[in-house]
Amino acid sequence: MSPLAILHPSPLDGPYLSLIIFLPIIGAFLLFLIRSDEMSRWLALIILSLTFLVSLPLYSAFQPELPGFQFVENHVWIRQLGLSYLLGVDGISLPLVLLTTFLGPSTVLCSWRYINKRVREFMACLLLTQGILTGVFVALDLVLFYFFWEAMLIPMFLIIAIWGGPRRMYAAIKFVLYTLGGSIFLLLAIVGLYIHGGTFSYPALLGLDLAPRWEFWLFLAFLVGFAVKIPMVPLHTWLPAAHVEAPTAGSVILASVLLKMGTYGLLRFNLTLTPAASVSLAPVLIVLSVAAILYGGLLSLAQQDIKKLIAYSSVAHMGFVTLGIGVLNMQGFQGAMLQMLNHGLTTGGLFLLVGMLYERTHSRELADNAGLARLMPGFVFFLGLFSLSSLAFPGTASFVGEFLCLSGAFSHSLRLGAWVIPGALLAAAYMFRMFIKLTWGRGGDPALARDIGLRELASLLPLAILVIVFGLYPAPLLKIMNPALESISARLHGQTVMDLSAFIGQALPPGFLN
């Protein structure tokens, strides 16, 4: 049995994984018993804060040295179809679960005044999104995983379509169509695995010995499904539209957690279930990653809309994550995981700041906000910190992840490392450009400058503290994730490269290549 497939029951008293999934979902329905907008805000904040507190024992009770999944909950769901309610976390999923619960209260705080219509319904959508996203990271039954994956679309669609900007319907429909398109490939991969394994249980499927041809096609199906969500170039065009039109909380959720579903899927499914295909097709992943890093960076440099600038920077940053996964070595894997978490904190913080600026000036244009930051010392402190982290300045959280990704790239190939270095320089260029324009530029109306208040400080401070702590001391994160990443690395070791031309040739009509 693969070490990844071992299941450990929970040492905690109570189904904690179920609690952090269903506490916010139940809270969403409780909101409909309340009429007052103010009470809705407070109840949502209390529930998401409570959910975060409930998730903390998972960190303290987690034993990194144990292989496989911990805090496992396993119940028969639909016996006739072999479906089970199977939950568990390992060193890959636990940090993402904690990131999701950690950001929950900030999404409520940043919406406190920003959202002033249908407040109760908005808060219900936030709670549903949090519960469903947690479900994605802890589900170990593939149908259950797919259920959470698809269910997430509903509240996110509503958040963008109802509370978004002027082109919200366009952005929401584009987001749904792209994601549904990718989900078809994900569903095909799940069905393909069931045909061969006769089960939807992820731990059981780890023991499956697939034929190379099947691995090849399953890898591609998973890759397309996850590439849309990450998003990878050229499937990224839904992201800027969704970010620009979404309210601040929607942008924070999209950037900080939702994009990580795709990279989590690559680590969880592609590398472990189709290891030989992963080794053979890793160059494809690397090429797409380099394209995302350079293309995303160049587009960021050209933006005048601050939200678009940060959105395209996310494409570049997620390119580093997929690059770390694609190089198939431990430095790359560690860098990818750290970059996922640190991008969630850093870009989440930047979107919070953009939302605060928009509440004051009702514009996201650099020219309209130029020079205002220097009149807001608290604001400029957080802007400077998150900007430095975004460009991977030493001592900030993103530096460690990006450094490990680059180290993994150089270990893989010096030429690959040389291709990626311009991406790091572009990040410095577009973040400094934004910071300098907002701080010392000319054009903004000084009368609109108002420094951050206590509520805004409460939403930013926790993220800023972690950006500094993980920048100086990432060891606790590495301790949690290293054993799981080493198990994945061991699973890839010794895999032989496939003859890809044979599989592609079989899929083409006879005589096509003549």
Side-chain angles (χ1 to χ4, degrees):
M1 176 188 286
S2 166
L4 290 167
I6 300 172
L7 303 179
H8 303 278
S10 175
L12 301 171
D13 294 328
Y16 273 69
L17 295 182
S18 292
L19 270 175
I20 58 174
I21 293 174
F22 289 105
L23 193 56
I25 291 176
I26 293 169
F29 290 103
L30 286 178
L31 279 175
F32 289 96
L33 302 176
I34 296 174
R35 296 289 181 189
S36 161
D37 288 347
E38 202 67 11
M39 282 293 293
S40 300
R41 296 184 180 103
W42 277 107
L43 183 60
L45 181 62
I46 290 168
I47 289 171
L48 290 182
S49 301
L50 188 60
T51 305
F52 173 60
L53 293 176
V54 170
S55 69
L56 288 179
L58 296 175
Y59 174 76
S60 56
F62 187 76
Q63 300 177 59
E65 69 280 1
L66 285 181
F69 294 94
Q70 301 180 40
F71 312 108
V72 170
E73 299 173 31
N74 192 4
H75 307 284
V76 174
W77 181 14
I78 304 175
R79 188 183 301 278
Q80 293 79 358
L81 298 177
L83 304 182
S84 58
Y85 177 78
L86 180 58
L87 307 179
V89 291
D90 63 357
I92 298 172
S93 50
L94 178 61
L96 294 170
V97 169
L98 294 174
L99 175 69
T100 307
T101 59
F102 174 77
L103 289 169
S106 289
T107 60
V108 176
L109 288 171
C110 73
S111 310
W112 206 269
R113 290 289 171 258
Y114 191 97
I115 301 298
N116 49 30
K117 65 174 183 178
R118 300 182 181 178
V119 174
R120 180 181 58 176
E121 290 82 357
F122 180 82
M123 294 299 164
C125 285
L126 282 187
L127 292 173
L128 284 174
T129 305
Q130 163 121 9
I132 292 167
L133 283 172
T134 306
V136 169
F137 294 128
V138 303
L140 297 179
D141 181 283
L142 264 62
V143 172
L144 188 62
F145 170 81
Y146 189 74
F147 170 79
F148 284 124
W149 181 277
E150 289 295 279
M152 177 278 309
L153 281 178
I154 300 171
M156 275 310 301
F157 172 81
L158 295 174
I159 286 174
I160 299 171
I162 297 177
W163 294 276
R167 300 183 71 211
R168 55 186 179 274
M169 283 309 296
Y170 164 77
I173 291 171
K174 194 172 185 180
F175 163 69
V176 168
L177 289 179
Y178 266 71
T179 307
L180 280 178
S183 298
I184 292 171
F185 290 90
L186 180 58
L187 181 61
L188 287 173
I190 291 173
V191 171
L193 282 170
Y194 181 74
I195 290 171
H196 276 271
T199 178
F200 291 109
S201 167
Y202 171 77
L205 289 169
L206 286 169
L208 202 58
D209 187 18
L210 289 167
R213 184 165 62 94
W214 272 93
E215 275 208 32
F216 172 77
W217 291 114
L218 286 172
F219 178 93
L220 286 183
F222 274 128
L223 178 61
V224 174
F226 298 137
V228 172
K229 196 75 80 181
I230 291 172
M232 298 182 76
V233 175
L235 303 172
H236 67 286
T237 59
W238 65 267
L239 183 69
H243 267 314
V244 168
E245 298 304 323
T248 301
S251 296
V252 172
I253 294 169
L254 277 169
S256 301
V257 185
L258 193 139
L259 307 189
K260 313 306 178 293
M261 289 166 58
T263 42
Y264 168 76
L266 287 180
L267 279 170
R268 173 69 72 216
F269 298 104
N270 284 72
L271 297 194
T272 59
L273 294 176
T274 59
S278 299
V279 172
S280 306
L281 290 164
V284 176
L285 196 57
I286 289 172
V287 170
L288 293 174
S289 303
V290 174
I293 291 168
L294 299 179
Y295 185 65
L298 287 170
L299 286 176
S300 290
L301 202 53
Q303 300 306 315
Q304 295 300 321
D305 184 309
I306 308 171
K307 255 191 168 183
K308 269 191 180 176
L309 187 155
I310 300 170
Y312 280 117
S313 78
S314 288
V315 174
H317 287 138
M318 293 307 287
F320 276 101
V321 177
T322 53
L323 176 72
I325 295 172
V327 295
L328 304 180
N329 56 41
M330 269 304 286
Q331 298 105 305
F333 291 159
Q334 290 171 329
M337 275 300 300
L338 287 176
Q339 185 74 347
M340 276 195 256
L341 301 170
N342 298 331
H343 176 261
L345 297 171
T346 301
T347 308
L350 285 171
F351 275 120
L352 287 174
L353 288 169
V354 176
M356 292 169 192
L357 213 48
Y358 185 77
E359 284 187 52
R360 288 156 173 77
T361 64
H362 300 290
S363 172
R364 295 186 303 267
E365 293 294 314
L366 276 171
D368 295 336
N369 293 287
L372 296 187
R374 73 172 183 274
L375 304 172
M376 303 187 286
F379 179 90
V380 82
F381 167 76
F382 288 107
L383 180 66
L385 177 65
F386 291 127
S387 298
L388 287 174
S389 182
S390 184
L391 62 89
F393 193 79
T396 59
S398 297
F399 170 74
V400 186
E402 197 164 309
F403 176 81
L404 284 168
C405 286
L406 284 171
S407 174
F410 274 108
S411 298
H412 182 82
S413 153
L414 290 177
R415 186 177 298 176
L416 173 61
W419 269 100
V420 178
I421 287 297
L425 297 176
L426 282 171
Y430 60 71
M431 290 313 299
F432 273 127
R433 171 176 167 261
M434 182 188 77
F435 182 79
I436 290 171
K437 187 81 174 174
L438 290 178
T439 309
W440 291 289
R442 294 180 182 276
D445 183 357
L448 299 175
R450 175 168 47 85
D451 208 359
I452 55 174
L454 281 177
R455 173 181 54 79
E456 293 166 327
L457 179 67
S459 67
L460 290 167
L461 193 58
L463 279 71
I465 290 172
L466 288 192
V467 163
I468 296 170
V469 169
F470 291 151
L472 299 174
Y473 188 60
L477 292 175
L478 291 170
K479 183 182 176 184
I480 289 177
M481 61 183 65
N482 273 348
L485 296 176
E486 284 166 359
S487 297
I488 292 176
S489 183
R491 198 170 172 83
L492 296 168
H493 184 70
Q495 298 289 338
T496 54
V497 177
M498 298 173 172
D499 179 9
L500 301 179
S501 59
F503 306 137
I504 297 170
Q506 288 170 5
L508 297 174
F512 184 83
L513 296 176
N514 294 333

